[in-house]
């Protein structure tokens, strides 16, 4: 019965999942290199903003709270990467909420 419930979704083209995996790894390495080469505040902002744009709209309220909490705790603890990352996460969630309608 479990076999019938799980339908096999065909790939858009042969090897599509391998291409998607390679793109994902390349983007991760790019963000790792950018994060290591930029100042902490800029790196935190850039990475959190771009990753925040990938959040599903139904989870926006939770990520807004997480961004606000990170920003407050980062500024209080004098951690620029966390602080500016929280600001960026908050802003990206506002953008997602504004532009994506469910």
């Amino acid at each position: 019965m479990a076999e019938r419930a799980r339908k096999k979704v065909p790939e858009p083209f042969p090897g599509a999942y391998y291409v998607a995996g390679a793109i994902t790894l390349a983007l991760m390495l790019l963000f790792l290199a950018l994060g290591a080469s930029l100042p902490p505040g800029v790196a935190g902002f850039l990475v959190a903003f771009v990753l925040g744009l990938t959040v599903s709209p139904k989870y926006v309220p939770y990520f807004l709270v997480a961004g606000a909490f990170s920003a407050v705790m980062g500024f209080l603890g004098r951690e620029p990467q966390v602080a500016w990352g929280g600001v960026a996460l908050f802003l990206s969630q506002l953008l997602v909420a504004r532009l994506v309608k469910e």
Side-chain angles (χ1 to χ4, degrees):
M1 187 163 162
E3 293 174 17
R4 284 190 291 173
R6 190 176 352 144
K7 294 181 181 179
K8 184 167 172 73
V9 178
E11 288 183 295
F13 58 88
Y17 296 133
Y18 293 111
V19 172
I23 291 170
T24 302
L25 287 175
L27 286 172
M28 288 172 57
L29 289 173
L30 173 69
F31 276 108
L32 180 71
L34 281 175
S37 63
L38 295 171
V42 176
F45 189 91
L46 176 70
V47 171
F49 187 80
V50 173
L51 291 177
L53 294 177
T54 66
V55 171
S56 173
K58 68 180 181 179
Y59 298 118
V60 165
Y62 304 113
F63 280 87
L64 276 170
V65 171
F69 180 77
S70 296
V72 168
M73 296 307 282
F75 283 118
L76 289 176
R78 297 193 175 131
E79 291 289 338
Q81 193 166 14
V82 175
W84 289 107
V87 170
L89 184 61
F90 189 85
L91 292 175
S92 69
Q93 296 312 294
L94 291 177
L95 191 63
V96 168
R98 174 88 171 122
L99 297 178
V100 179
K101 304 293 181 200
E102 282 190 280

